[in-house]
């Protein structure tokens, strides 16, 4: 019963995950379609307003002549020009409205992206569900990226990808481990009291391996230590 219940729970989780992924894909497709349509409308409005602007300039030049030669026709053309100006302003306002819609859509995309990356990070790093621990490690990562890796504060503000954060965390922890080994190697050796046995050959070999690791930081030296520990 427990096995069946566990299987059903896992199957239900996979099914819900698949449904959420499909819904997200549909939403992204819809957003992409809307974004493309808005871009096309902006492009068409730009072409229209540029043509209208050139036409309005020509109409104004013609009105300056009509006011001296044909006042009656001037009034007719002035009314038409006012209508064109109204259409021109309407097109400009519509373009501004589209720009606002595009900005809102981009903000929504950014918010959804941040939420998704945060969720993926928690799935890969369940310990970060503890906000205190997560904040402490984030500060440590940020300080290392700023001081040791050449990142700027603005670049850190745009570091959202959970994969990049995982790589940065691993790099910081590894450097912290290497620095700890270097400090341990600098510490004076503990004197052997009378009656104590001398270190064995394996212990001496392990000590030498740690000293090499503290100097080189090499992955091969780290693997050598792991092999020595397995042979204990």
């Amino acid at each position: 019963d427990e096995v069946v219940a566990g299987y059903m729970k896992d199957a239900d989780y996979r099914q819900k995950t698949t449904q959420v992924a499909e819904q997200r894909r549909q939403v992204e497709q819809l957003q992409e379609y809307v974004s493309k349509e808005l871009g096309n409308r902006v492009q068409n409005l730009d072409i229209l307003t540029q043509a209208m602007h050139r036409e309005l300039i020509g109409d104004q030049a013609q009105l300056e002549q009509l006011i001296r030669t044909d006042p009656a026709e001037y009034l007719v053309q002035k009314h038409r020009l006012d209508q064109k100006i109204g259409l021109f302003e309407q097109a400009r306002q519509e373009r501004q409205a589209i720009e606002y819609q595009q900005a809102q859509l981009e903000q929504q995309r950014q918010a959804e992206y941040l939420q998704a990356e945060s969720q993926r990070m928690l799935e890969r790093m369940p310990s970060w569900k503890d906000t205190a621990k997560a904040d402490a490690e984030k500060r440590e990562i940020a300080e290392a990226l700023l001081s040791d890796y050449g990142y700027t504060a603005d670049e850190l503000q745009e570091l959202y990808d959970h994969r990049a954060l995982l790589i940065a965390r691993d790099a910081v922890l590894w450097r912290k481990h290497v620095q700890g080994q270097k400090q341990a190697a600098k510490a004076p050796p503990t004197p052997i009291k009378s009656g104590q046995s001398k270190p064995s050959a394996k212990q001496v070999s392990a000590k030498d391996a740690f000293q090499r690791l503290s100097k080189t930081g090499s992955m091969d030296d780290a693997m050598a230590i792991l092999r020595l520990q397995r042979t204990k």
Side-chain angles (χ1 to χ4, degrees):
D1 291 342
E2 292 178 357
V3 171
V4 171
Y7 174 80
M8 295 298 294
K9 183 178 180 180
D10 184 59
D12 181 63
Y13 173 77
R14 289 198 304 270
Q15 182 180 4
K16 289 181 178 178
T17 302
T18 303
Q19 292 175 351
V20 170
E22 177 62 21
Q23 291 173 355
R24 183 181 294 116
R25 185 184 66 83
Q26 292 177 359
V27 170
E28 289 175 352
Q29 288 180 344
L30 179 60
Q31 290 177 338
E32 185 66 25
Y33 172 78
V34 172
S35 178
K36 184 177 180 180
E37 288 298 312
L38 291 176
N40 291 336
R41 288 177 62 185
V42 167
Q43 184 177 4
N44 292 335
L45 284 170
D46 286 341
I47 296 173
L48 175 62
T49 53
Q50 289 173 7
M52 292 178 69
H53 185 261
R54 289 192 297 268
E55 186 175 349
L56 289 173
I57 293 175
D59 290 346
Q60 288 175 347
Q62 183 181 5
L63 282 177
E64 291 178 0
Q65 295 178 356
L66 287 175
I67 196 171
R68 294 189 298 268
T69 60
D70 191 346
E73 183 64 19
Y74 167 81
L75 294 176
V76 174
Q77 296 300 327
K78 178 66 169 60
H79 177 69
R80 292 178 179 176
L81 178 61
D82 291 340
Q83 290 180 328
K84 290 181 181 179
I85 293 175
L87 292 175
F88 178 77
E89 290 299 326
Q90 182 179 348
R92 289 181 58 184
Q93 291 175 5
E94 183 175 354
R95 193 188 189 288
Q96 291 176 355
I98 293 176
E99 288 180 341
Y100 176 77
Q101 289 178 318
Q102 289 176 320
Q104 292 291 105
L105 182 61
E106 183 60 29
Q107 290 180 2
Q108 181 181 353
R109 282 182 174 179
Q110 185 71 3
E112 291 174 353
Y113 170 74
L114 294 179
Q115 183 179 3
E117 287 301 305
S118 177
Q119 181 62 33
R120 293 188 182 105
M121 191 65 186
L122 290 179
E123 290 173 357
R124 297 289 300 275
M125 285 292 301
S127 62
W128 275 24
K129 292 179 180 179
D130 183 347
T131 56
K133 182 176 181 180
D135 291 342
E137 290 193 1
K138 287 177 182 178
R139 283 194 299 270
E140 188 175 8
I141 293 172
E143 291 172 359
L145 292 178
L146 288 170
S147 61
D148 301 332
Y149 292 92
Y151 274 77
T152 65
D154 292 337
E155 288 172 335
L156 288 184
Q157 292 294 329
E158 299 177 357
L159 187 61
Y160 304 126
D161 194 320
H162 75 284
R163 297 167 298 181
L165 284 174
L166 287 171
I167 294 173
R169 179 179 181 273
D170 290 344
V172 171
L173 291 179
W174 174 250
R175 292 191 65 173
K176 187 176 180 180
H177 170 74
V178 172
Q179 291 173 356
Q181 294 297 331
K182 289 181 178 179
Q183 292 177 355
K186 292 179 180 178
T190 304
I192 300 177
K193 297 180 180 180
S194 59
Q196 290 182 339
S197 60
K198 294 183 178 180
S200 64
K202 287 185 178 180
Q203 291 173 333
V204 172
S205 179
K207 182 179 179 181
D208 293 340
F210 273 110
Q211 290 177 347
R212 285 197 302 272
L213 176 61
S214 65
K215 294 178 180 179
T216 65
S218 168
M219 185 61 71
D220 292 336
D221 291 336
M223 295 301 297
I225 293 174
L226 292 177
R227 287 194 293 269
L228 287 173
Q229 291 178 343
R230 291 174 181 172
T231 59
K232 289 182 179 181

